[in-house]
Amino acid sequence: MATKWDPETYGLMAEFNEPEDLIAATRKAREHGYRWFESYSPFPVHGLSEAMGFRHTKLPLIVLTAGLLGGLGGFGLQYYLTVIEYPLNVGGRPLFSWPSFIPITFELTVLSAAFGAVLGMLGLNGLPRPHHPVFNISEFASASRDKFFLCLQSRDEKFQMQSSREFLESLEPAAIYEVPQ
Amino acid sequence: MSSHSPDSSSHDAQHSSADPMIGPGHSLGSVTDKITSLTLRQGVGWKWLLGFAVSFALVMLLMLSVAVLFKYGVGVWGLNIPVGWGFAIVNFVWWVGIGHAGTLISAVLLLLRQQWRTSINRFAEAMTLFAVACAGMYPLLHMGRPQYFYWIFPYPNTMDIYPQFRSPLVWDAFALTAYGTVSALFWYVGLIPDMATLRDRAKTRFSQITYGFLSMGWRGSARHWKRYETAYLLLAGLATPLVVSVHTIVSFDFAVGIIPGWHATVFPPYFVAGAIYSGFAMVLTLCIPLRVAYGLKDFITDRHLDNMAKVMLASGLVVAYGYGMEAFMAYYSGHDVEAYMLENRMGGPYAFFFWSLLACNIAIPQLLWFPAVRRNSKMLFVIAIIINIGMWLERFIIVVTSLHRDFLPSSWDMYYPTFWDWALYIGTIGFFFACLFIFVRLLPAISIFEMRELLETEEGGNGHGH
């Protein structure tokens, strides 16, 4: 095949029966120089993302930022409304009765951080995205049951239909599929 | 049999063979198929239909009692001037408390790496959501003018007035909405990979589209899992202080007051312990019949019941200590109205309820010390129901006996709940069960991907069999 980028093909998918095989295959794909590939498993397999070379996610930073904003916003809101916007004598308490502001500050911190965690996770993962080329092969349905997949994408510099298929065959998968775009 | 270490993450083969968290002979595929088949099969069984019909009839009772309440006002309840808080607040606290075990199981046990949580967490989280939904009704319904409920939230308005942030009832509004939202998010995040499984297994176009929509296109990519696990762990870390804070804030409703019997500094931890206690009692009440009805004994094993009973016992002892401290401090304070509060509980007109409370919450649950009782699901079921009743009585005693006789003897009165108090309470129980029936029919009652993960770790010592 002359062109490296085949617009008709999303990639080549290899199916494995055991998570250990997928980890080994993933490591080999990386060592082999592939960069645009993805491993799919029905549950989080320990060591898989490390084998892919994916170690760090920005998610904790997003959650921290969201939590701090929620906390500062919550405290600031209470301070502004009770001290500046409409000061009232409630039960003889001081206007800036900060201990009373802590519960709401805390709740809003947690609420914002939780939104940060969920929306951040979905956003970084590019979800929701109901249509994706990997769903084009019906066998991929077992990725949510008991099978493990490695997909080399055709956009990879190193991807070539023939040599990539041979590489996948050397990993001794249960099956290899061509994934249409 | 009862000597296994609480650290179930160790891979020793003894766990897997002698006392498993998952029945023998299961593979990734069989676990998936078993749980999805509960959801994806056609039609409904007559037992489900009967259970749902009864619950739904009670939802109608709820609707009726709300309609009557809105039409005639809170005067349809048995409240009076000393006892302004009756069933509505008793049930509010009871329901919130029940919700807490769900978060405890899903979040705290995740942080502690307790793998036995896996087969009960989904179910317990659903229980949390529905219990919080029931609880959330009461703060709205017990308002004299519920149509103005939104005044409790700060929003810019033409009157230029805002809620005052020194009241625990305003804190409640924030705590409950935050708790409900975070629990729902946590629950939904946990469901995403399982919805993908249902999407891939579904036979009909309608269910494929529905679960496909709900699973947001989850495809189990390694990068996605990594971020997913991070998000899940962070959510668990956030939900843990949240669950403690929510019932703490609920306890402030009382502890911030000046009423003897309410103004107790021990309330926050003691309410949280009580919440865990009643919550685990409700989880057991629900999961013992569930595992029989759906043939889930392979997944919810006796070991789960045993562990839950132990947590229940531990929190029950904290509650018992709380009763002891309440009584001790009442005398130790040297405050005669405080001392009378205790005398009134023990020998006043509500003494029967007080002694029933001690029997239900302290005396009978001591049976949980015996492994034979913890392993006997029928006895455990009965004890769990007794604790549910006991924890309801606890809230009744705290709310009503403290209010009906306090500082001014000229303001002493009795509280007798009316038909509409009971109808609303029973109605929310119906609502709770109706939601649960719908949940077990439409969504996986046990987390599928976490069961797969558990299976993989359990297999660690025994070699691979799938």
Side-chain angles (χ1 to χ4, degrees), chain B residues 122-152:
Chain B
R122 171 69 42 73
F123 183 71
E125 283 167 41
M127 185 196 79
T128 292
L129 278 182
F130 306 144
V132 170
C134 290
M137 293 180 204
Y138 285 105
L140 300 177
L141 295 177
H142 92 125
M143 289 181 186
R145 292 179 294 165
Q147 67 272 32
Y148 299 122
F149 78 93
Y150 56 91
W151 287 11
I152 208 162

mmCIF file of all heavy atoms in Angstrom, chain B residues 122-152:
data_model
loop_
_atom_site.group_PDB
_atom_site.id
_atom_site.type_symbol
_atom_site.label_atom_id
_atom_site.label_comp_id
_atom_site.label_asym_id
_atom_site.label_seq_id
_atom_site.Cartn_x
_atom_site.Cartn_y
_atom_site.Cartn_z
ATOM 1 N N ARG B 122 -23.482 -0.550 43.975
ATOM 2 C CA ARG B 122 -24.457 0.041 43.062
ATOM 3 C C ARG B 122 -25.827 0.144 43.702
ATOM 4 O O ARG B 122 -26.512 1.176 43.666
ATOM 5 C CB ARG B 122 -24.556 -0.835 41.817
ATOM 6 C CG ARG B 122 -25.653 -0.503 40.852
ATOM 7 C CD ARG B 122 -25.462 0.789 40.140
ATOM 8 N NE ARG B 122 -24.093 1.004 39.696
ATOM 9 C CZ ARG B 122 -23.541 0.356 38.688
ATOM 10 N NH1 ARG B 122 -24.236 -0.486 37.980
ATOM 11 N NH2 ARG B 122 -22.295 0.581 38.353
ATOM 12 N N PHE B 123 -26.175 -0.948 44.317
ATOM 13 C CA PHE B 123 -27.460 -1.055 44.950
ATOM 14 C C PHE B 123 -27.574 -0.069 46.118
ATOM 15 O O PHE B 123 -28.581 0.620 46.297
ATOM 16 C CB PHE B 123 -27.540 -2.496 45.441
ATOM 17 C CG PHE B 123 -28.801 -2.826 46.064
ATOM 18 C CD1 PHE B 123 -29.917 -2.936 45.282
ATOM 19 C CD2 PHE B 123 -28.877 -3.012 47.421
ATOM 20 C CE1 PHE B 123 -31.112 -3.228 45.873
ATOM 21 C CE2 PHE B 123 -30.070 -3.306 48.004
ATOM 22 C CZ PHE B 123 -31.196 -3.416 47.231
ATOM 23 N N ALA B 124 -26.481 0.015 46.890
ATOM 24 C CA ALA B 124 -26.497 0.912 48.043
ATOM 25 C C ALA B 124 -26.536 2.375 47.595
ATOM 26 O O ALA B 124 -27.192 3.207 48.226
ATOM 27 C CB ALA B 124 -25.269 0.655 48.910
ATOM 28 N N GLU B 125 -25.866 2.683 46.480
ATOM 29 C CA GLU B 125 -25.896 4.059 45.985
ATOM 30 C C GLU B 125 -27.295 4.425 45.509
ATOM 31 O O GLU B 125 -27.764 5.546 45.719
ATOM 32 C CB GLU B 125 -24.918 4.233 44.818
ATOM 33 C CG GLU B 125 -23.482 4.335 45.234
ATOM 34 C CD GLU B 125 -22.555 4.183 44.041
ATOM 35 O OE1 GLU B 125 -22.848 4.729 42.970
ATOM 36 O OE2 GLU B 125 -21.540 3.489 44.181
ATOM 37 N N ALA B 126 -27.953 3.478 44.845
ATOM 38 C CA ALA B 126 -29.326 3.733 44.408
ATOM 39 C C ALA B 126 -30.203 3.981 45.628
ATOM 40 O O ALA B 126 -31.034 4.893 45.643
ATOM 41 C CB ALA B 126 -29.847 2.551 43.603
ATOM 42 N N MET B 127 -29.976 3.179 46.658
ATOM 43 C CA MET B 127 -30.733 3.353 47.892
ATOM 44 C C MET B 127 -30.520 4.760 48.447
ATOM 45 O O MET B 127 -31.464 5.418 48.877
ATOM 46 C CB MET B 127 -30.286 2.297 48.898
ATOM 47 C CG MET B 127 -31.071 2.293 50.155
ATOM 48 S SD MET B 127 -30.210 1.357 51.432
ATOM 49 C CE MET B 127 -29.010 2.564 51.961
ATOM 50 N N THR B 128 -29.261 5.226 48.405
ATOM 51 C CA THR B 128 -28.958 6.586 48.863
ATOM 52 C C THR B 128 -29.783 7.610 48.105
ATOM 53 O O THR B 128 -30.434 8.469 48.697
ATOM 54 C CB THR B 128 -27.463 6.896 48.628
ATOM 55 O OG1 THR B 128 -26.708 6.085 49.495
ATOM 56 C CG2 THR B 128 -27.154 8.350 48.873
ATOM 57 N N LEU B 129 -29.764 7.486 46.785
ATOM 58 C CA LEU B 129 -30.462 8.479 45.972
ATOM 59 C C LEU B 129 -31.944 8.520 46.293
ATOM 60 O O LEU B 129 -32.531 9.585 46.444
ATOM 61 C CB LEU B 129 -30.299 8.134 44.496
ATOM 62 C CG LEU B 129 -29.013 8.579 43.853
ATOM 63 C CD1 LEU B 129 -29.038 8.200 42.391
ATOM 64 C CD2 LEU B 129 -28.868 10.082 43.994
ATOM 65 N N PHE B 130 -32.551 7.348 46.399
ATOM 66 C CA PHE B 130 -33.996 7.327 46.623
ATOM 67 C C PHE B 130 -34.317 7.762 48.048
ATOM 68 O O PHE B 130 -35.337 8.430 48.282
ATOM 69 C CB PHE B 130 -34.561 5.942 46.317
ATOM 70 C CG PHE B 130 -34.185 5.458 44.934
ATOM 71 C CD1 PHE B 130 -33.911 4.126 44.687
ATOM 72 C CD2 PHE B 130 -34.082 6.357 43.886
ATOM 73 C CE1 PHE B 130 -33.548 3.692 43.421
ATOM 74 C CE2 PHE B 130 -33.720 5.941 42.619
ATOM 75 C CZ PHE B 130 -33.450 4.600 42.388
ATOM 76 N N ALA B 131 -33.440 7.409 48.996
ATOM 77 C CA ALA B 131 -33.671 7.857 50.374
ATOM 78 C C ALA B 131 -33.528 9.370 50.459
ATOM 79 O O ALA B 131 -34.300 10.036 51.150
ATOM 80 C CB ALA B 131 -32.690 7.166 51.319
ATOM 81 N N VAL B 132 -32.540 9.930 49.741
ATOM 82 C CA VAL B 132 -32.374 11.382 49.754
ATOM 83 C C VAL B 132 -33.562 12.051 49.066
ATOM 84 O O VAL B 132 -34.023 13.111 49.496
ATOM 85 C CB VAL B 132 -31.033 11.786 49.102
ATOM 86 C CG1 VAL B 132 -30.950 13.278 48.892
ATOM 87 C CG2 VAL B 132 -29.876 11.330 49.964
ATOM 88 N N ALA B 133 -34.094 11.403 48.022
ATOM 89 C CA ALA B 133 -35.281 11.958 47.370
ATOM 90 C C ALA B 133 -36.445 12.014 48.356
ATOM 91 O O ALA B 133 -37.194 12.999 48.405
ATOM 92 C CB ALA B 133 -35.648 11.119 46.146
ATOM 93 N N CYS B 134 -36.603 10.953 49.139
ATOM 94 C CA CYS B 134 -37.678 10.943 50.145
ATOM 95 C C CYS B 134 -37.410 12.009 51.201
ATOM 96 O O CYS B 134 -38.314 12.760 51.594
ATOM 97 C CB CYS B 134 -37.757 9.577 50.832
ATOM 98 S SG CYS B 134 -38.377 8.290 49.764
ATOM 99 N N ALA B 135 -36.150 12.071 51.660
ATOM 100 C CA ALA B 135 -35.802 13.051 52.692
ATOM 101 C C ALA B 135 -36.034 14.464 52.171
ATOM 102 O O ALA B 135 -36.558 15.310 52.882
ATOM 103 C CB ALA B 135 -34.352 12.871 53.111
ATOM 104 N N GLY B 136 -35.645 14.674 50.919
ATOM 105 C CA GLY B 136 -35.741 16.013 50.350
ATOM 106 C C GLY B 136 -37.153 16.554 50.277
ATOM 107 O O GLY B 136 -37.356 17.767 50.203
ATOM 108 N N MET B 137 -38.134 15.668 50.311
ATOM 109 C CA MET B 137 -39.514 16.159 50.257
ATOM 110 C C MET B 137 -39.905 16.877 51.549
ATOM 111 O O MET B 137 -40.645 17.859 51.518
ATOM 112 C CB MET B 137 -40.476 14.979 50.078
ATOM 113 C CG MET B 137 -40.363 14.270 48.765
ATOM 114 S SD MET B 137 -41.582 12.940 48.767
ATOM 115 C CE MET B 137 -40.840 11.848 47.572
ATOM 116 N N TYR B 138 -39.393 16.366 52.678
ATOM 117 C CA TYR B 138 -39.907 16.865 53.956
ATOM 118 C C TYR B 138 -39.582 18.334 54.231
ATOM 119 O O TYR B 138 -40.460 19.075 54.682
ATOM 120 C CB TYR B 138 -39.433 15.966 55.096
ATOM 121 C CG TYR B 138 -40.190 14.663 55.135
ATOM 122 C CD1 TYR B 138 -39.619 13.486 54.700
ATOM 123 C CD2 TYR B 138 -41.505 14.625 55.592
ATOM 124 C CE1 TYR B 138 -40.309 12.290 54.721
ATOM 125 C CE2 TYR B 138 -42.213 13.443 55.622
ATOM 126 C CZ TYR B 138 -41.608 12.274 55.186
ATOM 127 O OH TYR B 138 -42.310 11.106 55.205
ATOM 128 N N PRO B 139 -38.341 18.771 53.964
ATOM 129 C CA PRO B 139 -38.091 20.197 54.209
ATOM 130 C C PRO B 139 -39.000 21.104 53.373
ATOM 131 O O PRO B 139 -39.313 22.216 53.787
ATOM 132 C CB PRO B 139 -36.625 20.376 53.795
ATOM 133 C CG PRO B 139 -36.025 19.036 53.932
ATOM 134 C CD PRO B 139 -37.111 18.075 53.583
ATOM 135 N N LEU B 140 -39.435 20.607 52.221
ATOM 136 C CA LEU B 140 -40.355 21.408 51.412
ATOM 137 C C LEU B 140 -41.769 21.307 51.972
ATOM 138 O O LEU B 140 -42.479 22.301 52.093
ATOM 139 C CB LEU B 140 -40.345 20.919 49.960
ATOM 140 C CG LEU B 140 -39.007 20.984 49.250
ATOM 141 C CD1 LEU B 140 -39.123 20.405 47.853
ATOM 142 C CD2 LEU B 140 -38.527 22.419 49.174
ATOM 143 N N LEU B 141 -42.169 20.070 52.316
ATOM 144 C CA LEU B 141 -43.560 19.859 52.700
ATOM 145 C C LEU B 141 -43.873 20.432 54.075
ATOM 146 O O LEU B 141 -45.012 20.822 54.332
ATOM 147 C CB LEU B 141 -43.888 18.359 52.673
ATOM 148 C CG LEU B 141 -43.810 17.720 51.282
ATOM 149 C CD1 LEU B 141 -44.067 16.230 51.377
ATOM 150 C CD2 LEU B 141 -44.806 18.359 50.341
ATOM 151 N N HIS B 142 -42.879 20.442 54.968
ATOM 152 C CA HIS B 142 -43.226 20.911 56.308
ATOM 153 C C HIS B 142 -43.210 22.432 56.412
ATOM 154 O O HIS B 142 -43.477 22.985 57.469
ATOM 155 C CB HIS B 142 -42.331 20.244 57.361
ATOM 156 C CG HIS B 142 -41.094 21.009 57.699
ATOM 157 N ND1 HIS B 142 -40.767 21.369 58.969
ATOM 158 C CD2 HIS B 142 -40.118 21.495 56.912
ATOM 159 C CE1 HIS B 142 -39.624 22.034 58.963
ATOM 160 N NE2 HIS B 142 -39.206 22.123 57.739
ATOM 161 N N MET B 143 -42.914 23.104 55.302
ATOM 162 C CA MET B 143 -43.022 24.569 55.316
ATOM 163 C C MET B 143 -44.485 24.967 55.345
ATOM 164 O O MET B 143 -45.317 24.334 54.695
ATOM 165 C CB MET B 143 -42.413 25.148 54.034
ATOM 166 C CG MET B 143 -40.935 25.044 53.958
ATOM 167 S SD MET B 143 -40.407 25.806 52.420
ATOM 168 C CE MET B 143 -38.690 25.399 52.490
ATOM 169 N N GLY B 144 -44.757 26.033 56.050
ATOM 170 C CA GLY B 144 -46.137 26.536 56.046
ATOM 171 C C GLY B 144 -46.533 27.035 54.673
ATOM 172 O O GLY B 144 -47.669 26.870 54.236
ATOM 173 N N ARG B 145 -45.586 27.672 53.984
ATOM 174 C CA ARG B 145 -45.890 28.184 52.638
ATOM 175 C C ARG B 145 -44.857 27.612 51.665
ATOM 176 O O ARG B 145 -43.897 28.296 51.286
ATOM 177 C CB ARG B 145 -45.859 29.714 52.644
ATOM 178 C CG ARG B 145 -47.006 30.304 53.461
ATOM 179 C CD ARG B 145 -46.969 31.804 53.481
ATOM 180 N NE ARG B 145 -45.796 32.296 54.187
ATOM 181 C CZ ARG B 145 -45.355 33.551 54.114
ATOM 182 N NH1 ARG B 145 -45.974 34.427 53.341
ATOM 183 N NH2 ARG B 145 -44.298 33.911 54.780
ATOM 184 N N PRO B 146 -45.067 26.378 51.282
ATOM 185 C CA PRO B 146 -44.043 25.699 50.457
ATOM 186 C C PRO B 146 -43.827 26.348 49.096
ATOM 187 O O PRO B 146 -42.794 26.123 48.471
ATOM 188 C CB PRO B 146 -44.598 24.276 50.308
ATOM 189 C CG PRO B 146 -46.038 24.381 50.620
ATOM 190 C CD PRO B 146 -46.209 25.527 51.563
ATOM 191 N N GLN B 147 -44.788 27.164 48.658
ATOM 192 C CA GLN B 147 -44.615 27.771 47.330
ATOM 193 C C GLN B 147 -43.449 28.746 47.297
ATOM 194 O O GLN B 147 -42.988 29.124 46.235
ATOM 195 C CB GLN B 147 -45.913 28.433 46.864
ATOM 196 C CG GLN B 147 -46.347 29.648 47.646
ATOM 197 C CD GLN B 147 -47.212 29.299 48.854
ATOM 198 O OE1 GLN B 147 -47.065 28.255 49.474
ATOM 199 N NE2 GLN B 147 -48.144 30.179 49.199
ATOM 200 N N TYR B 148 -42.957 29.176 48.494
ATOM 201 C CA TYR B 148 -41.840 30.122 48.522
ATOM 202 C C TYR B 148 -40.521 29.446 48.880
ATOM 203 O O TYR B 148 -39.595 30.088 49.355
ATOM 204 C CB TYR B 148 -42.122 31.243 49.529
ATOM 205 C CG TYR B 148 -43.347 32.045 49.202
ATOM 206 C CD1 TYR B 148 -44.398 32.156 50.108
ATOM 207 C CD2 TYR B 148 -43.470 32.680 47.972
ATOM 208 C CE1 TYR B 148 -45.538 32.878 49.798
ATOM 209 C CE2 TYR B 148 -44.604 33.405 47.652
ATOM 210 C CZ TYR B 148 -45.642 33.497 48.576
ATOM 211 O OH TYR B 148 -46.758 34.210 48.260
ATOM 212 N N PHE B 149 -40.466 28.135 48.655
ATOM 213 C CA PHE B 149 -39.275 27.398 49.074
ATOM 214 C C PHE B 149 -37.989 27.961 48.471
ATOM 215 O O PHE B 149 -36.922 27.898 49.069
ATOM 216 C CB PHE B 149 -39.416 25.916 48.703
ATOM 217 C CG PHE B 149 -39.158 25.629 47.257
ATOM 218 C CD1 PHE B 149 -37.888 25.270 46.832
ATOM 219 C CD2 PHE B 149 -40.152 25.750 46.303
ATOM 220 C CE1 PHE B 149 -37.626 25.025 45.501
ATOM 221 C CE2 PHE B 149 -39.900 25.514 44.977
ATOM 222 C CZ PHE B 149 -38.638 25.150 44.570
ATOM 223 N N TYR B 150 -38.098 28.517 47.279
ATOM 224 C CA TYR B 150 -36.878 28.946 46.581
ATOM 225 C C TYR B 150 -36.249 30.157 47.243
ATOM 226 O O TYR B 150 -35.125 30.532 46.898
ATOM 227 C CB TYR B 150 -37.180 29.222 45.101
ATOM 228 C CG TYR B 150 -38.270 30.238 44.868
ATOM 229 C CD1 TYR B 150 -37.970 31.583 44.737
ATOM 230 C CD2 TYR B 150 -39.604 29.858 44.805
ATOM 231 C CE1 TYR B 150 -38.957 32.521 44.543
ATOM 232 C CE2 TYR B 150 -40.600 30.794 44.609
ATOM 233 C CZ TYR B 150 -40.274 32.119 44.488
ATOM 234 O OH TYR B 150 -41.272 33.041 44.308
ATOM 235 N N TRP B 151 -36.940 30.768 48.202
ATOM 236 C CA TRP B 151 -36.342 31.897 48.909
ATOM 237 C C TRP B 151 -35.138 31.467 49.743
ATOM 238 O O TRP B 151 -34.385 32.300 50.218
ATOM 239 C CB TRP B 151 -37.389 32.551 49.842
ATOM 240 C CG TRP B 151 -38.418 33.335 49.092
ATOM 241 C CD1 TRP B 151 -38.626 33.333 47.751
ATOM 242 C CD2 TRP B 151 -39.365 34.249 49.649
ATOM 243 N NE1 TRP B 151 -39.663 34.185 47.427
ATOM 244 C CE2 TRP B 151 -40.141 34.759 48.582
ATOM 245 C CE3 TRP B 151 -39.653 34.689 50.937
ATOM 246 C CZ2 TRP B 151 -41.167 35.671 48.767
ATOM 247 C CZ3 TRP B 151 -40.678 35.599 51.124
ATOM 248 C CH2 TRP B 151 -41.432 36.091 50.045
ATOM 249 N N ILE B 152 -34.999 30.156 49.939
ATOM 250 C CA ILE B 152 -33.878 29.685 50.748
ATOM 251 C C ILE B 152 -32.567 29.695 49.960
ATOM 252 O O ILE B 152 -31.497 29.560 50.532
ATOM 253 C CB ILE B 152 -34.176 28.282 51.323
ATOM 254 C CG1 ILE B 152 -33.412 28.082 52.629
ATOM 255 C CG2 ILE B 152 -33.832 27.177 50.338
ATOM 256 C CD1 ILE B 152 -33.934 26.970 53.465
#
